[in-house]
Amino acid sequence: MAYDEDLANRLRELLAAETGVDEKRMFGGLAFLINGNMAVVASGHGGLMVRIPPDDTAELLTREHTEPMVMAGRETRGWIRVGDDGVRTKRQLESWVARGVSHAKTLPAK
């Protein structure tokens, strides 16, 4: 499944004012990197993947429309999936993008 082009365009709009933003096709989706670190991904499986502080994973998974990110059959702490219903409005999407960008900025530039 290809990533949602509309979601990718909405992400571009929200990230337009950020410096150090790059886009890369990864994991069947379109990743948005800040200074070389992934922040958010328009997922090829629908919805959004968001990079978060690993210690926040359990708390954020209690929110509606979220689920663990699973790769190679294992749950990946520090990443969550937000379903389409969790990013329908600009306000919802802004919140998740801000969270992913904020965490990516704490990481050493690559």
Side-chain angles (χ1 to χ4, degrees), residues 2-94:
Y3 62 88
D4 180 341
E5 284 286 347
D6 180 58
L7 177 59
N9 287 332
R10 292 170 61 210
L11 291 168
R12 286 183 187 106
E13 182 181 314
L14 291 175
L15 294 168
E18 292 289 336
T19 58
V21 176
D22 287 310
E23 296 178 22
K24 288 190 180 178
R25 289 180 181 257
M26 303 175 84
F27 311 118
L30 185 63
F32 291 84
L33 296 82
I34 305 292
N35 301 321
N37 294 291
M38 282 192 290
V40 293
V41 179
S43 175
H45 298 286
L48 185 71
M49 293 170 26
V50 183
R51 189 169 201 173
I52 57 173
D55 291 342
D56 293 353
T57 304
E59 185 269 324
L60 290 172
L61 287 173
T62 65
R63 295 191 177 189
E64 274 191 294
H65 313 296
T66 62
E67 61 185 71
M69 186 174 122
V70 177
M71 292 194 71
R74 294 188 348 204
E75 188 174 317
T76 307
R77 283 177 37 87
W79 282 92
I80 59 171
R81 287 187 175 278
V82 182
D84 290 329
D85 288 339
V87 293
R88 290 240 186 266
T89 68
K90 185 174 183 178
R91 184 176 177 184
Q92 288 172 311
L93 185 58
E94 280 176 330

